């Protein structure tokens, strides 16, 4: 069993930056591919970014590419989402998720993930 806890959300002005963290307990994250998803009010949960368990491969949603980066520190059992040039449309609850899988495959669908955190709110004001 993997427990995930997100942190780092908050209120930021458009153009600002935030770094989200996802800390794991229960098992080492080095065996899991990790993903970030978000859900805005009234909208479905959507994929943001994913990173393979080795950290060698990453994939981003079109809305995140060029502005967000995903990284991991397996020694700290933590995954990060650095978000720059934030826009009001980035406002959402952000979730991290974990799945055991191939280091050469990108997991971008929520149903592919077994473990989820409770989410952290990100609000971007215009």
């Amino acid at each position: 069993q993997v427990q995930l806890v997100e942190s780092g959300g908050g209120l930021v002005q458009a153009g600002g930056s935030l770094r989200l963290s996802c800390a794991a307990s229960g098992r080492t994250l080095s065996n899991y591919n990790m993903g970030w998803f978000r859900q805005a009010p009234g909208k479905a949960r959507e994929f943001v970014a994913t990173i393979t368990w080795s950290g060698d491969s990453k994939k981003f949603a079109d809305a995140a590419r060029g502005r967000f980066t995903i990284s991991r520190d397996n020694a700290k059992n933590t995954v990060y989402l650095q978000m720059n040039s934030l826009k009001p449309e980035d406002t959402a609850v952000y979730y991290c998720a974990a799945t055991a899988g191939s280091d050469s495959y990108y997991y971008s669908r929520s149903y592919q993930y077994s473990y989820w955190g409770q989410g952290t709110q990100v609000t971007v004001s215009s």
Side-chain angles (χ1 to χ4, degrees):
Q1 195 78 1
V2 178
Q3 291 81 41
L4 302 173
V5 178
E6 302 95 337
S7 62
L11 174 64
V12 64
Q13 288 188 331
S17 299
L18 283 174
R19 188 176 82 154
L20 305 183
S21 299
C22 173
S25 61
R27 290 187 180 177
T28 176
L29 275 188
S30 60
N31 298 325
Y32 293 86
N33 290 7
M34 300 297 296
W36 284 95
F37 291 76
R38 67 187 184 185
Q39 187 166 19
K43 295 187 177 182
R45 189 171 298 187
E46 65 176 6
F47 167 73
V48 176
T50 184
I51 185 169
T52 56
W53 56 259
S54 70
D56 288 345
S57 297
K58 306 167 187 179
K59 180 180 180 180
F60 297 89
D62 289 344
R65 191 174 298 114
R67 298 187 299 126
F68 295 4
T69 57
I70 187 171
S71 62
R72 64 190 301 158
D73 186 337
N74 286 340
K76 295 183 177 180
N77 240 21
T78 302
V79 177
Y80 305 97
L81 184 70
Q82 176 68 43
M83 304 186 296
N84 300 326
S85 302
L86 283 162
K87 305 175 181 179
E89 51 264 43
D90 294 318
T91 295
V93 177
Y94 283 70
Y95 299 90
C96 71
T99 183
S102 171
D103 193 49
S104 58
Y105 184 81
Y106 298 120
Y107 297 88
S108 58
R109 306 296 179 94
S110 57
Y111 69 83
Q112 295 174 312
Y113 287 82
S114 304
Y115 304 101
W116 292 83
Q118 293 300 306
T120 184
Q121 176 71 47
V122 171
T123 303
V124 184
S125 63
S126 57

